[in-house]
């Protein structure tokens, strides 16, 4: 018999269907609630609201589990390949060798930016935030496509996805070069995804950047760990914009803007600012913890806490190991890493953080690794965006392919004046 939940209002009862996901997680289906009862549900921040069904990513926040298309995230660390992970997320299964080779070839063929698009960088002030440039350039890129609004055919979609995943890295590197007044370095078709990105970031026309396979692997894993995270703020934004049948480029550009916020992807840069503040003697780690606990102070311990994880974020666990590897490989030490470890230790034994189940999240250690690789702080959230792009594309496609989808349009409870009168300006 179908499961239901009984809702009783003013003595009248209704049976509402319960739907369950693969792991049995239940949700009360309220799609007919307003028609049946005249009532709405109130859930600011959507902490209890399921906005869609999705077969892409599974998270169990209490157990600290993350899986892409059913595969535990830990399994991606063996031979990290971001391009393979992107294909898996977008097309729903691991690619066969010839499919991966064909997709990689598409990425290589699409790495260049149209010269016309390249000139757009000159229009930005030298200190323009790279996330603003990234969002604007993704939207602008759509204008350089022959037919960017129709992506019904699987092949056309694959070509466009490859082009976006490839070019986002070129755009990111060019935004950085522009901010430093450095010449643009063209992509090198002989290099793999992450190596090519590092080449465009750090080579000079007269001096090829030396690539280290261990750093390349670390970057691959970092991008993989950021690749999708179900219905977070930026992904929900991509789906929200996409639900209006807006094109892929416009939807992704909106996702970049949402990711920019310091409570979301912008937290990786905010963590470094917080650690630098401590290092420069602004605050001791103990004062920082006390400030984060003080309810009269808006300060939060950046890189801590998560809407879904009420356990150690599995991505943070893996990134902590990547940080150790990268620092020992580069034979580098960073006082900020020691401060981060100390802060984590303090927080994890503090009743405030224990009671609220606040653990390090993906942003706590990622910035330290970016810093060690030589990525400047204002590019950290761009790095997150490069990693998240396949997830956004997969989510947009899943929604686009679903039959009978509706435009996303939440309701509200109006609390303004009931009826007011317009007063002409000369009488106000
Ligand atoms: N420092 C201090 N207190 C915190 C923190 C924190 N980082 N995070 C949550 N809390 C407290 C919060 O004040 C609340 O306390 P109380 O119950 O006494 O009112 C309690 O913990 C529950 O927090 P919440 O506000 O209900 O949590 P949320 O699900 O709305 O917010 C969050 C999640 C990630 C926005 C939040 O934890 C936060 O602001 N963290 C710092 C920013 C950050 O690291 N963001 C990256 C998130 S992971 C990657 C991503 O999504 O991009």
């Amino acid at each position: 018999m179908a499961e239901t939940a009984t809702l009783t209002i003013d003595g009248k009862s209704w049976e509402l269907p319960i739907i369950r996901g693969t792991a049995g997680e239940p949700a009360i289906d309220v799609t007919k609630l307003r028609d049946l009862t005249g009532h709405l549900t109130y859930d600011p921040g959507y902490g209890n609201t399921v906005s869609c069904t999705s077969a892409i990513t599974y998270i169990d926040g209490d157990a600290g589990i993350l899986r892409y298309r059913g595969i535990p995230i830990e399994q991606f660390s063996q031979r990290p390949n971001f391009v393979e992970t992107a294909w898996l997320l977008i097309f729903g299964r691991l690619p066969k060798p010839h499919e991966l080779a064909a997709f990689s070839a598409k990425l290589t063929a699409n790495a260049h930016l149209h010269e016309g698009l390249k000139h757009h960088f000159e229009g930005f002030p030298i200190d323009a935030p790279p996330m603003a440039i990234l969002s604007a350039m993704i939207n602008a890129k759509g204008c350089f496509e022959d037919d960017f609004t129709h992506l019904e055919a699987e092949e056309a979609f694959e070509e466009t996805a490859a082009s976006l995943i490839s070019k986002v890295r070129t755009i990111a590197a060019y935004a950085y070069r522009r901010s430093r007044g450095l010449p643009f370095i063209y992509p090198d078709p002989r290099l793999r995804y992450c190596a090519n990105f590092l080449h465009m970031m750090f080579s000079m026309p007269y001096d090829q950047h030396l690539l280290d396979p261990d750093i390349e692997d670390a970057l691959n894993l970092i991008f993989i760990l950021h690749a999708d995270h179900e219905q977070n703020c930026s992904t929900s934004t991509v789906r929200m914009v996409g639900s209006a049948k807006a094109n892929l480029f416009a939807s992704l550009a909106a996702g970049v803007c949402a990711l920019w916020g310091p409570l979301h992807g912008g937290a990786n840069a905010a963590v470094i600012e917080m650690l630098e503040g401590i290092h420069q003697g602004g605050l001791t780690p103990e004062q920082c913890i006390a400030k984060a606990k003080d309810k009269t102070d808006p300060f939060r311990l950046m890189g801590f806490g998560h809407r879904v994880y009420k356990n150690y974020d599995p991505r943070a666990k893996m990134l902590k190991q990547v940080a150790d590897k990268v620092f020992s490989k580069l034979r580098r030490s960073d006082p900020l890493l020691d401060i981060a470890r100390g802060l984590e230790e303090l927080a994890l034994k503090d009743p405030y953080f224990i009671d609220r189940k606040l653990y390090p999240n993906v942003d706590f250690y990622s910035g330290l690794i970016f810093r060690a690789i030589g990525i400047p702080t204002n590019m950290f959230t761009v790095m997150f965006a490069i990693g998240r792009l396949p997830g956004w594309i997969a989510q947009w496609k899943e929604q686009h392919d679903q039959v009978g989808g509706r435009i996303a349009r939440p309701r509200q409870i109006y609390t303004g004046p009931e009826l007011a009168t317009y007063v002409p300006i000369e009488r106000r």
Side-chain angles (χ1 to χ4, degrees), residues 263-265 267 295 300-301 303-305 307 352 356 361 363:
L263 294 189
H264 193 8
K295 290 291 164 199
R300 283 188 165 194
L301 190 62
F304 257 74
R307 171 61 60 80
Y352 174 96
R356 290 169 179 75
N361 60 48
D363 293 316

Side-chain angles (χ1 to χ4, degrees), residues 45-56:
Y46 308 130
N48 304 287
T49 296
V50 168
S51 63
C52 61
T53 57
S54 176
I56 301 170

Side-chain angles (χ1 to χ4, degrees), residues 253-302:
V256 171
C257 292
L259 187 72
W260 194 355
L263 294 189
H264 193 8
N268 55 14
V271 168
I272 296 296
E273 281 156 23
M274 178 181 79
L275 298 176
E276 269 169 350
I278 297 174
H279 182 53
Q280 285 153 13
L283 282 178
T284 64
E286 288 76 11
Q287 284 169 329
C288 188
I289 296 283
K291 222 169 131 52
K293 287 159 48 175
D294 180 355
K295 290 291 164 199
T296 61
D297 190 327
F299 176 82
R300 283 188 165 194
L301 190 62
M302 298 315 283

